[in-house]
């Protein structure tokens, strides 16, 4: 009970510090998270550029719609290799050098796709690129959650989603810029120039510190303390966060050595999978379900169908010119990027739940509007030329959909899932939820053209609207608010309140931050 009282006092202290006006103390943490988030530009660029390049690739290589679906959707499945490997790699060589590895892999993949002479060669480049973006998505998420202070963690951990959208916008702009080149060169330039951001990323990483949580897990307390003093709101918060991390890592709080030996069981991930999947405690199970659910519904509500196939959606709405279609995709990318920038300033002020629920409510309505518009255009038979209201509804609903997605479903998914896992399970938990995200994304991307042929294009968006409605109910009933909580306090939020008694001697505590030591 004494330990719980101390934890509550620490929570009160952190909340008071979070409520205190800051005088530019977040700039260092912001710089670190921005550099790490550059990794997700790679993912965004590849998503955006392929939406326009696929039409030119299909014309030159004479591939079918099924092959186009596989080409576009396979990236998400290939990224599983990078996502699962990143969890182990980041625990082994550190968060920072894992970002360098991600940049190198993506650089190679972009060049392979740019020089591809046939479909098989293009798929090889797609696989390499997928591994790289899998690494990038995981490590940016993990690093930002571990470097950000509690008072602005939502703002800083939403940066990866912001940079994904910046990457998508750059991909759309690349499509428009290179579409005027000869067909055989245009799409190769679109894909090949994706190697450029990876070079800036690899260089920029040299200015980043290592994650304080990884440093503590490696016994480098002096280095961790130095990083925390630069990124926290005050020396007192730095001390409390270091004490929390040490306690979670099994290091005595009174230990003040710069380098210590960490108990092997706290450096070994062999028991983490068992604790997450085979024998999870109630609080861990709820964390896992919440994190997996938010990632699943983010993708299952159809965002990739709009982002990856937006030229086809606009063509169905009545826009026939290739240049006009690509111009409209730039408008989509600009809207997504602008709205997600706005959302980052409200995630710590409004909270996760209100933004998420409001976002999905808007998505339900806009997806239904898109379904109505496309259905009306499709049934009229003249491509929307005489149904201006239906074409206008389709276009406005598309922009509304990406807007509502960007104010909640986009940034909150990364923010929420990055902050709820306990320290010892964080990297592996991030790998699992990223796998759910990528598999769902891959299924949506690889079935959209076939689905639209089976139930019509409008029917597809009605289906996504229904899925978004189910998601709203799940979020309302299952997800607690996490705003203002430190990472080490999350398990108390998700755990059973009756588990408050002090553990018996020789037994492990199963509540609070101590639960991260439960593996072997």
């Amino acid at each position: 009970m004494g330990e719980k009282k101390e934890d509550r006092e620490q929570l009160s202290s952190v909340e008071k510090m979070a409520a205190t006006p800051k005088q530019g103390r977040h700039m260092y943490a912001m710089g670190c998270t921005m550099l790490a988030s550059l990794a997700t530009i790679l993912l965004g660029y590849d998503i955006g550029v392929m939406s326009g390049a696929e039409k030119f690739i299909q014309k030159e290589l004479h591939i079918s719609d099924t092959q186009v679906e596989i080409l576009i959707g396979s990236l998400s499945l290939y990224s599983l290799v990078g996502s699962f490997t990143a969890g182990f790699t980041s625990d082994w060589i550190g968060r920072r050098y894992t970002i360098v590895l991600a940049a190198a892999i993506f650089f190679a993949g972009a060049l392979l796709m740019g020089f591809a002479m046939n479909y098989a060669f293009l798929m090889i480049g797609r696989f390499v690129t997928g591994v790289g973006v899998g690494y990038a998505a995981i490590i940016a998420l993990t690093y930002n959650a571990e470097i950000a202070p509690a008072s602005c963690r939502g703002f800083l951990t939403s940066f990866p989603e912001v940079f994904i959208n910046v990457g998508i916008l750059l991909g759309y702009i690349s499509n428009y810029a290179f579409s005027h080149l000869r067909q055989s060169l245009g799409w190769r330039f679109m894909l090949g120039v994706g190697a450029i951001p990876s070079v800036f990323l690899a260089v920029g990483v040299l200015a980043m510190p290592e994650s304080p949580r990884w440093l503590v897990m490696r016994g480098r307390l002096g280095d961790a303390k130095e990083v925390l003093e630069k990124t926290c709101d005050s020396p007192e918060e730095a001390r409390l966060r270091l004490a929390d991390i040490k306690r979670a890592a099994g290091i005595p709080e009174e230990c003040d050595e710069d380098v210590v030996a960490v108990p092997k069981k706290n450096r070994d991930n062999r028991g983490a999978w068992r604790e997450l999947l085979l024998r999870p405690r109630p609080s861990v199970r709820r964390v896992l379900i919440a994190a997996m659910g938010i990632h699943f519904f983010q993708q299952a509500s159809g965002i990739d169908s709009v982002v990856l196939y937006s030229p086809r959606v606009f063509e169905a709405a009545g826009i026939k010119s290739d240049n006009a279609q690509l111009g409209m995709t730039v408008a989509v990318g600009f809207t997504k990027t602008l709205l997600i920038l706005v959302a980052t300033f409200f995630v710590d002020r409004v909270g996760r739940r209100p933004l998420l629920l409001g976002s999905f409510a808007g998505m339900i309505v806009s997806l239904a509007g898109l379904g109505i518009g496309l259905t009306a255009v499709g049934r009229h038979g003249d491509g929307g030329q005489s149904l201006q209201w239906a074409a206008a509804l389709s276009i406005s609903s598309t922009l509304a959909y990406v807007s509502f997605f960007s104010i909640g479903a986009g940034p909150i998914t990364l923010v929420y899932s990055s902050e709820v896992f306990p320290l010892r399970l964080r990297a592996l938990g991030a790998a699992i939820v990223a796998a759910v995200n990528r598999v769902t994304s891959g299924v949506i991307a690889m079935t959209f053209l076939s689905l639209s042929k089976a139930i019509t294009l409008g029917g597809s968006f009605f289906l996504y609207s229904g899925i978004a409605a189910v998601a709203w109910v799940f979020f309302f009933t299952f997800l607690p608010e996490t705003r203002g909580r430190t990472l080490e306090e999350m398990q108390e939020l998700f755990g059973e309140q009756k588990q408050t008694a002090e553990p018996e001697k020789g037994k492990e505590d199963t509540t609070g931050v101590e639960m991260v030591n439960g593996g072997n």
Side-chain angles (χ1 to χ4, degrees), residues 235-423:
E236 177 64 13
E237 184 187 358
R239 186 188 66 79
L240 291 176
R241 288 184 64 188
L242 181 60
D244 281 340
I245 301 171
K246 286 196 294 185
R247 189 164 64 249
I251 300 174
E253 292 185 42
E254 62 274 9
C255 180
D256 291 326
E257 301 293 330
D258 286 342
V259 180
V260 300
V262 179
K264 184 179 179 181
K265 70 175 184 177
N266 295 310
R267 297 178 54 183
D268 193 347
N269 281 322
R270 288 178 297 178
W273 289 109
R274 180 175 60 186
E275 186 174 345
L276 272 174
L277 299 176
L278 300 181
R279 293 192 303 173
R281 296 183 177 91
S283 57
V284 174
R285 184 185 299 112
R286 188 180 178 192
V287 164
L288 185 62
I289 293 173
M292 291 174 63
I294 195 171
H295 275 270
F296 170 78
F297 284 118
Q298 182 202 49
Q299 295 297 328
S301 57
I303 186 62
D304 278 353
S305 295
V306 172
V307 173
L308 293 171
Y309 296 101
S310 52
R312 294 185 183 235
V313 173
F314 289 127
E315 182 179 12
I319 300 177
K320 301 304 180 183
S321 165
D322 284 347
N323 285 338
Q325 292 168 16
L326 294 178
M328 284 301 302
T329 62
V330 173
V332 169
F334 180 79
T335 302
K336 283 182 93 275
T337 303
L338 177 63
L339 266 294
I340 205 164
L341 283 171
V342 173
T344 59
F345 292 98
F346 288 96
V347 66
D348 283 315
R349 298 179 183 179
V350 178
R352 284 54 159 162
R353 271 174 57 91
L355 285 178
L356 192 63
L357 293 174
S359 170
F360 269 83
M363 288 163 59
I364 294 168
V365 175
S366 55
L367 282 168
L370 183 55
I372 292 171
L374 291 176
T375 299
V377 171
R379 288 182 176 178
H380 204 265
D382 65 350
Q385 298 302 312
S386 59
L387 285 181
Q388 296 299 320
W389 69 267
L393 177 61
S394 299
I395 295 171
S396 61
S397 294
T398 300
L399 296 175
Y401 171 64
V402 297
S403 298
F404 280 114
F405 179 90
S406 296
I407 66 171
I412 299 301
T413 297
L414 291 179
V415 171
Y416 201 92
S417 61
S418 68
E419 62 189 4
V420 295
F421 284 103
L423 171 61

Side-chain angles (χ1 to χ4, degrees), residues 494-514:
F494 281 86
E496 298 178 3
Q497 295 300 316
K498 65 180 181 180
Q499 296 179 342
T500 58
E502 186 174 351
E504 297 177 14
K505 186 176 181 179
K507 294 185 179 181
E508 290 180 293
D509 185 4
T510 60
T511 62
V513 296
E514 288 294 325

Side-chain angles (χ1 to χ4, degrees), residues 41-122:
I41 281 186
L42 309 180
L43 171 59
Y45 182 86
D46 194 271
I47 291 173
V49 77
M50 191 55 74
S51 70
E54 57 95 0
K55 297 188 69 173
F56 302 104
I57 293 172
Q58 186 173 28
K59 291 177 182 178
E60 182 180 350
L61 301 184
H62 306 291
I63 58 179
S64 66
D65 280 350
T66 300
Q67 288 175 303
V68 170
E69 286 182 320
I70 295 173
L71 175 66
I72 292 179
S74 61
L75 179 84
S76 295
L77 301 182
Y78 295 152
S79 69
L80 292 176
V81 178
S83 296
F84 277 108
T85 309
F88 297 99
T89 305
S90 64
D91 283 343
W92 177 37
I93 64 175
R95 289 26 171 169
R96 193 169 64 149
Y97 289 115
T98 302
I99 296 177
V100 176
L101 179 61
I105 296 173
F106 188 89
F107 180 85
L111 291 183
L112 286 172
M113 289 193 297
F115 286 103
M117 301 304 297
N118 53 51
Y119 183 73
F121 198 158
L122 189 60

